[in-house]
Amino acid sequence: MSRAYKGVRPEGHRDYSVDNVLALCGICRNTLSNWVRSGLGPVDRASPQLFRGAELRRFQEARGGVKGKLRGGQFKCLGCKSRVFPEVGSVSIVERARGGVSASAACPDCYAVVFKLLGETECYSVRKCLDTNTSLTSIDEDRVSAPAGIGKDQRGVGGVITYKNDRMIHAWQGYAERYHPKTVTAHLTSIREFERFLAGKSIASLTQDDIIAWRKKLIANDERLGNSTIRHRASQVSGFLKWLADQPGHSKLRGLSDDCGLPKRLKQAALPEQKRFPKLDEAVAMLDAMPSKSLSERRMRALFAFALRPDALITVRFSTASAARELGVERTTVTQ
C-alpha cells in the first residue's frame, strides 16, 4: 500500500502470501509484522504466513478510517493517514502545562511523530504497558474487530482464528495462474461459496454426502441464479475438486468431482429469444403512412423504400455509374 493506502483493493476471495502482500501494498517486512501485531490476522499459525484478501481489506479500512473514535492505545498518523499502534518503546508521556496528559510516539510505518491526548483511564493503561513492556494493542484487545473471512471461524491454539482450506486454495491459485485473472476470480467466488456451505469443514475431509447436499442446494436455487451461473459454479467446484484429488495426501477425494453433475434440464442452454420482424404488408402500410411534404420527408421515405428492396440500391449505384460514362463525366465528380 502507498502511504495513504489509496487504490489498493485486495480481492476478498483470494489468499495472499507475504511476498504478495509486500508487492501489493508496497511495504517492507517490518511493516507487515507491525500490522500483524496491530490486529491483521493470518489464516493460521503455520509458516510461511498467508492472509485472506477480505482480512486485508478489513484491516485497511480499520486503519485508514478518518471518522470514529480512536481505540485505546491507537494513534492517528498524519503522515501516512493511518491508525496505528506504535511500538511501546517509542512512547513517551508528557504532563501538559495547562493540565492533562499527552503521549508522543513514532509511527511504525512511516516513522513520523504522532501525538495523542490521553484520558485518565487510557493514561493509566499506557503507563502500565510502559512499565511491563507490553504492546499497546493489549489495551483494546476486547474491542478489536474480528478477522474477516468466509464460513465458520475455527478457534485454534490461543484463540487464534484459523481457516482450514486457505492453504489448499492458495496452492490452487498457483496452478490457476495460467488462466485469465477474471477467470481465476470467478472460480474463487464459486469455491468460496462452496466453502461457506461447508460451514468451516475442511475440504480435505469431504464425503459424498457433503457433495450431494451441496448439489441439492444448488439445484434448489434459493439465490434465484440463472442456469448459466449454476452450471458454471458446479463446473468450477468440480474442477477444483478434481485438481485437489491429484495432489499428495488427497487421493481419497477422487471421484467426488463426478458427483457435482447437474440434471439435464440445467445443462441445456436456454433457447435464444426469437426476434419479430415486420411482415412485408406491414412495412408497405408504414411506407404509405409516412409524410412526404418536405424534401427531408421525401428523402426519408425513399430510403425506407430502398430498405424494402435491397436490389434497388445496387441498381441505383450501377445506373449512376452508367449515366456518368454516357455523359463523359468522372465518377468521382458525380459522387461528390
Side-chain angles (χ1 to χ4, degrees):
M1 297 181 186
S2 60
R3 288 305 179 205
Y5 309 128
K6 292 182 180 179
V8 178
R9 299 295 296 171
E11 294 184 30
H13 295 321
R14 187 179 290 269
D15 286 304
Y16 293 86
S17 66
V18 171
D19 291 336
N20 295 149
V21 176
L22 300 184
L24 176 69
C25 304
I27 59 176
C28 63
R29 292 181 180 272
N30 288 340
T31 299
L32 182 57
S33 299
N34 291 332
W35 286 3
V36 173
R37 287 194 292 269
S38 298
L40 176 63
V43 298
D44 53 27
R45 286 182 172 273
S47 181
Q49 290 179 322
L50 286 180
F51 302 90
R52 277 198 179 186
E55 170 63 5
L56 284 169
R57 293 173 65 172
R58 179 204 67 79
F59 182 74
Q60 175 186 351
E61 292 170 359
R63 284 170 47 87
V66 296
K67 296 182 180 180
K69 187 178 180 181
L70 290 172
R71 288 151 43 188
Q74 192 177 50
F75 288 68
K76 177 67 178 181
C77 178
L78 300 180
C80 60
K81 310 298 183 183
S82 301
R83 300 184 173 204
V84 298
F85 288 94
E87 293 290 341
V88 67
S90 68
V91 178
S92 60
I93 297 178
V94 180
E95 298 286 344
R96 305 182 68 191
R98 297 184 179 181
V101 179
S102 65
S104 64
C107 174
D109 292 350
C110 66
Y111 305 105
V113 179
V114 293
F115 297 91
K116 184 180 184 181
L117 295 177
L118 302 180
E120 184 177 353
T121 302
E122 187 175 6
C123 179
Y124 171 79
S125 300
V126 172
R127 290 185 185 275
K128 185 177 179 180
C129 289
L130 292 176
D131 294 339
T132 59
N133 196 26
T134 305
S135 173
L136 295 180
T137 57
S138 62
I139 299 177
D140 197 54
E141 61 182 358
D142 294 333
R143 291 189 291 162
V144 173
S145 301
I150 300 174
K152 185 177 179 181
D153 294 339
Q154 301 297 314
R155 296 276 174 178
V157 179
V160 175
I161 295 179
T162 59
Y163 303 99
K164 299 180 179 179
N165 303 311
D166 285 81
R167 294 199 174 270
M168 290 182 287
I169 294 176
H170 183 261
W172 177 86
Q173 289 175 191
Y175 162 79
E177 288 180 353
R178 65 190 70 186
Y179 303 139
H180 190 278
K182 291 185 178 180
T183 302
V184 177
T185 299
H187 279 71
L188 286 173
T189 300
S190 299
I191 294 170
R192 293 298 190 185
E193 288 292 338
F194 178 63
E195 183 187 31
R196 182 181 289 113
F197 170 80
L198 297 177
K201 183 176 181 178
S202 173
I203 297 178
S205 59
L206 278 178
T207 63
Q208 188 178 40
D209 293 338
D210 295 324
I211 300 295
I212 293 175
W214 170 76
R215 186 182 61 191
K216 288 181 178 179
K217 182 179 183 301
L218 193 62
I219 295 174
N221 196 14
D222 297 332
E223 301 178 24
R224 299 184 179 276
L225 304 174
N227 286 356
S228 176
T229 303
I230 294 176
R231 292 197 305 270
H232 278 88
R233 287 194 175 179
S235 174
Q236 289 159 358
V237 171
S238 175
F240 173 73
L241 294 177
K242 186 175 181 180
W243 169 85
L244 186 61
D246 293 333
Q247 306 308 304
H250 300 289
S251 58
K252 64 180 181 180
L253 298 178
R254 287 176 182 166
L256 291 184
S257 60
D258 298 334
D259 295 324
C260 297
L262 297 174
K264 185 179 295 186
R265 61 181 176 84
L266 293 177
K267 293 182 179 179
Q268 296 176 346
L271 294 177
E273 182 180 355
Q274 296 293 331
K275 294 184 179 180
R276 183 183 179 278
F277 296 95
K279 298 180 179 179
L280 182 59
D281 54 348
E282 295 175 339
V284 172
M286 180 178 176
L287 177 63
D288 293 337
M290 294 180 67
S292 59
K293 293 182 179 180
S294 65
L295 178 62
S296 176
E297 291 174 347
R298 290 194 295 273
R299 182 170 63 248
M300 294 298 297
R301 181 170 178 170
L303 291 174
F304 184 77
F306 279 137
L308 298 180
R309 297 181 58 194
D311 293 341
L313 294 175
I314 302 176
T315 304
V316 169
R317 180 180 178 184
F318 282 128
S319 297
T320 303
S322 176
R325 285 194 298 269
E326 292 178 0
L327 296 175
V329 182
E330 292 292 337
R331 179 178 178 182
T332 55
T333 306
V334 175
T335 305
Q336 293 176 359

